[in-house]
């Protein structure tokens, strides 16, 4: 951890040339709770940010406590800078992004993190860019916000706009990371369920024969008694077509429909038998 006053020029920060966040600085202005600072550090690590500046923290930046909460953050904590004023912490930054739960200033540009992130990342090409977060109880003052070139607001429930400092920070870091991913063309992870084995999609003919048995089965259950089965069958068709069934699934559904059909027929025959039996009994 270093008490290093910035020299005022937009000096490159340490970091590999291919690190997209090498010129992105996270600034925490007068944080009150060291746990929140540690959780911000954890979020920074998760999203790949490395430069932290803390202005007048209420609690001393104790590396032992910080790394105890944010495991594996020794390097980041060691490199973190403590400053006496926001002015000093921002002195080598060419672009300053403020964050606030309340859109109090009308004259500045307010955006949501996802909307602003691509441009913020692009601006790191021209110098150090700071993203500033305020203290837990009061946030950033109007004077602090005036130092910012643009402001971010995370949309929330309007009756409860103030996020926990580390939660707000994580949302912003996440959006910055997404912007880098999109710029680098990192393919989105395919989250669709992977078929364990490739079964061919059902043909129109197979689906038609399923619909036929399905209709017979429901008819036998009395679902269409007295009404046109057309509209209900149109809905079933659309459900099954949307499901993009494969051959095996169509066979399973068809077999189930047959079971229903046969069960309903047997049950009907049994009931008829019982009634006829009763009638025969009465005759005796
Ligand atoms: N009571 C303060 C909130 C402080 S929360 C206020 O009303 O401003 C601590 C910090 O988390 C804020 O200064 C800001 O940096 C960030 N933050 C919290 N909620 C936010 C939100 N909805 N949008 C953007 N930043 C937010």
């Amino acid at each position: 951890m270093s008490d290093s006053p910035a020299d005022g020029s937009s000096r490159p920060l340490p970091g590999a040339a291919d690190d997209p966040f090498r010129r992105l600085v996270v600034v925490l202005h007068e944080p009150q709770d060291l746990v929140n600072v540690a959780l911000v550090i954890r979020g920074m690590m998760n999203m790949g940010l490395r430069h932290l500046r803390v202005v007048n923290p209420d609690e001393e930046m104790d590396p032992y406590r910080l790394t105890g909460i944010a495991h594996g953050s020794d390097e980041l904590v060691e490199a973190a800078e403590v400053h006496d004023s926001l002015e000093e912490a921002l002195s080598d930054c060419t672009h300053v992004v403020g964050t606030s739960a309340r859109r109090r200033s009308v004259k500045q540009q307010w955006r949501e993190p996802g909307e602003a992130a691509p441009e913020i990342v692009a601006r790191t090409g021209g110098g150090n860019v700071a993203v500033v977060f305020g203290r837990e109880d009061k946030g950033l003052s109007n004077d602090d916000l005036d130092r910012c070139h643009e402001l971010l607001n995370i949309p929330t429930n309007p009756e409860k706009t103030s996020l926990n400092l580390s939660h707000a920070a994580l949302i912003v870091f996440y959006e910055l990371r997404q912007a880098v991913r999109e710029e680098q063309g990192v393919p989105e992870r395919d989250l669709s369920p992977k078929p364990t084995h490739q079964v061919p999609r059902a043909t129109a003919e197979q689906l038609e024969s399923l619909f036929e048995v399905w209709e017979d089965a429901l008819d036998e259950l009395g679902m269409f008694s007295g009404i046109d089965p057309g509209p209900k069958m149109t809905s079933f068709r659309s459900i099954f077509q949307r499901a993009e069934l494969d051959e095996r699934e169509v066979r399973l559904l068809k077999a189930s429909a047959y079971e229903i059909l046969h069960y309903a027929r047997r049950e009907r025959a049994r009931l008829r038998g019982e009634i006829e039996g009763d009638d025969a009994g009465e005759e005796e």
Side-chain angles (χ1 to χ4, degrees):
M1 199 123 21
S2 53
D3 293 288
S4 49
D7 64 6
S9 61
S10 192
R11 65 195 155 94
L13 300 162
D18 61 350
D19 173 0
F21 293 132
R22 73 186 179 285
R23 303 201 78 166
L24 211 122
V25 185
V26 175
V27 179
L28 300 184
H29 188 227
E30 301 182 346
Q32 297 171 281
D33 186 347
L34 203 72
V35 173
N36 281 334
V37 177
L39 293 175
V40 169
I41 289 173
R42 168 131 193 201
M44 288 177 67
M45 288 198 303
N46 288 138
M47 296 300 149
L49 287 90
R50 54 181 72 244
H51 304 297
L52 176 66
R53 293 179 185 171
V54 184
V55 181
N56 288 333
D58 277 13
E59 289 187 79
E60 195 195 329
M61 290 279 287
D62 177 355
Y64 180 77
R65 279 187 66 202
L66 289 170
T67 55
I69 299 167
H71 300 288
S73 65
D74 306 60
E75 209 179 308
L76 200 158
V77 169
E78 172 62 29
E81 298 172 11
V82 178
H83 292 269
D84 293 333
S85 67
L86 188 58
E87 190 182 2
E88 185 186 285
L90 299 177
S91 60
D92 67 341
C93 295
T94 49
H95 189 72
V96 180
V97 182
T99 57
S100 176
R102 281 174 291 150
R103 298 188 175 210
R104 45 199 147 187
S105 168
V106 282
K107 53 183 194 294
Q108 279 164 307
Q109 189 191 6
W110 287 93
R111 282 192 295 185
E112 296 178 14
E115 198 189 335
E119 201 186 297
I120 295 172
V121 171
R123 281 185 187 279
T124 62
N128 300 339
V129 173
V131 184
V132 188
F133 297 90
R135 58 186 280 127
E136 291 90 329
D137 58 353
K138 291 197 278 218
L140 294 169
S141 68
N142 281 342
D143 281 352
D144 301 333
L145 292 173
D146 282 345
R147 291 189 183 280
C148 302
H149 301 122
E150 66 170 307
L151 300 168
L152 300 185
N153 173 255
I154 301 162
T156 54
N157 170 1
E159 283 154 32
K160 198 82 187 152
T161 60
S162 173
L163 293 160
N164 167 274
L165 168 60
S166 67
H167 294 181
L170 184 61
I171 290 172
V172 175
F173 301 162
Y174 168 80
E175 292 294 356
L176 292 170
R177 183 157 194 91
Q178 287 304 104
V180 168
R181 279 162 57 93
E182 263 155 47
E183 196 194 271
Q184 293 178 341
V186 178
E188 290 302 315
R189 260 174 70 210
D190 180 8
L191 297 176
S192 57
K194 295 270 173 302
T196 42
H197 55 277
Q198 212 57 49
V199 181
R201 280 278 301 279
T203 62
E205 192 183 357
Q206 288 163 337
L207 280 175
E208 283 308 318
S209 90
L210 165 65
F211 298 148
E212 224 170 89
V213 189
W214 193 262
E215 184 174 335
D216 287 349
L218 296 183
D219 193 29
E220 194 68 33
L221 289 175
M223 188 145 169
F224 305 129
S225 48
I227 57 161
D228 173 14
K232 283 207 168 71
M233 281 309 298
T234 304
S235 298
F236 280 121
R237 276 171 178 276
S238 113
I239 293 167
F240 286 136
Q241 275 150 357
R242 240 181 6 244
E244 303 191 354
L245 301 169
D246 65 30
E247 288 183 351
R248 193 183 50 81
E249 290 164 333
V250 165
R251 278 200 298 274
L252 179 69
L253 284 167
K254 207 169 145 185
S256 312
Y258 266 127
E259 285 302 322
I260 293 169
L261 184 64
H262 293 146
Y263 178 82
R265 279 185 183 154
R266 277 198 307 276
E267 193 59 9
R268 199 183 283 271
R270 192 180 65 76
L271 286 173
R272 218 176 8 241
E274 267 178 21
I275 292 166
E276 281 167 8
D278 287 351
D279 291 350
E282 275 167 23
E283 273 169 21
E284 271 171 20

